[in-house]
Amino acid sequence: SSIGIIVTGFSGICATFATFVIFKERFTEGAWIYLVLIPAIYVMFDFYRKRLGPPPESLDRRLSIDLNASFSMILRGNRMSYKVKKILVPLSGSLASEVAYHVSLFIAQKFGSIVAPLKLDFKAQDADDAKLFLEQLSGRAIESGVSVQPKVIQSKDSEALVKICENDEYDLICLATQSFRSRNNLFSDSKAYKIIFATTPPVLIYRPNDNWRSRSSEFNRILVPLDGSEIAEQVLPYVSAWAGLFDSEVIIISVPEIDGDQDLISKLSGYHENVRKNYFEGVNSFRSIVEGSGPAKTILHFAHSLECDLIAMVSHGRGGVARQKFVKLGSVTDLILLESDIPMLFISARG
C-alpha cells in the first residue's frame, strides 16, 4: 500500500542519514587514511607483480604442448661448443680459496685453458705479499703444465672484483667460499653472492669443509636438475661439454609437481629421453630420475645418496628471469647452495 511505501522510503532516508553521520565522524577521526592506503597498496602490489612477471606455466601443460609437437620446442637453447679458454680464480689467501685454485688446474689440463689467479688487496702495503703468494701458486701450475696469468688488483671496493668477473674475457670462474652456512650469511658475506648474482660466465662453486668430497671432485657423476622450462635447459650445453671431457655419468632429475601423478611422470620420462638424444648421445653413462615431491629435498637426497660430485643448475627455473633483479636466486637453487657441500656448476639464467 501507499503507507507501506512511505514508511519504507522514510526508513531508507533515516538509515542513509545515520550512515552519513557515522561516516563523517569516523572520517574526521582518521578513517580518511584508508582512501590513501588502499589505492597505494594496490599500486605497489601491481607494480611488483608486473616486475616479477607472470606466474610460471604449469609443467604438465608445457610438456603436453611439447609432446604434441614432437618436442620441436624443447631444447631450442641451441647446442653450442662450450670451450674454457681462460679461468678466473679469485683468491683471498685462505685455505678455502686455494681449493678453487687446485681445481682450476685440473680443469685447465682437460680444456687446455689458461688460469688467471686474482688477488684483491685493500691495502697498498700488502701488494708485495700478494705477489709472493701468487708466485708460489704459479710454480705449482708450471709443474702441472698449465699456463698461468696471475694478477693483483689494489682496490678498497669489492665491486672491482665483481666487475672483473663480468668481463667477457673469462669462460669460467672457480670460487671457493665457506659463506654458505646459514641464511644470515646470505646478506653478511658478500663477495661470493655478488659474483653469483652478477651476469657472469659459469661459476664453479666449492664449499670446502671437513668432508673430503667437498674439497675434491673429478666430475665423475654430474646431477642435473631440470624443471621442464627452457631456462633450466640453458645448463645442458655446459654439462654436455664437461661430461664429454671428464667421461662423466650424467644424471637428469625432475621432481613432479604432484607426487604419484603417473601421467606427468610419463611425460617427464619422455622429456628426459629427448634430452639424452639431443645432448648426451655419446656420454659414458646416462640416468634418468623422475620422483619425489619437494624439489630441493629430493635433489639433495639423490645428490648425496648417489655420491654425485657435481650439481649443475641454472639460477632460475620456471619462475623466469624477469624477476632476477628482485629475486636473485630461484628458491630451489638458493636452498641447495645453503644446504649442500657438493661442488656446484652455476649458470646465470638469461632471458
Side-chain angles (χ1 to χ4, degrees), residues 13-23:
I13 293 171
C14 289
T16 302
F17 180 75
T19 300
F20 176 77
V21 171
I22 294 171
F23 175 77

Side-chain angles (χ1 to χ4, degrees), residues 80-84 111 171-172 201-202 237-239 241-242 245 345:
M80 67 178 184
S81 178
Y82 174 60
K83 296 179 181 179
V84 181
F111 279 100
D171 305 293
L172 178 69
Y238 300 96
V239 176
W242 283 59
L245 274 178
L345 181 63

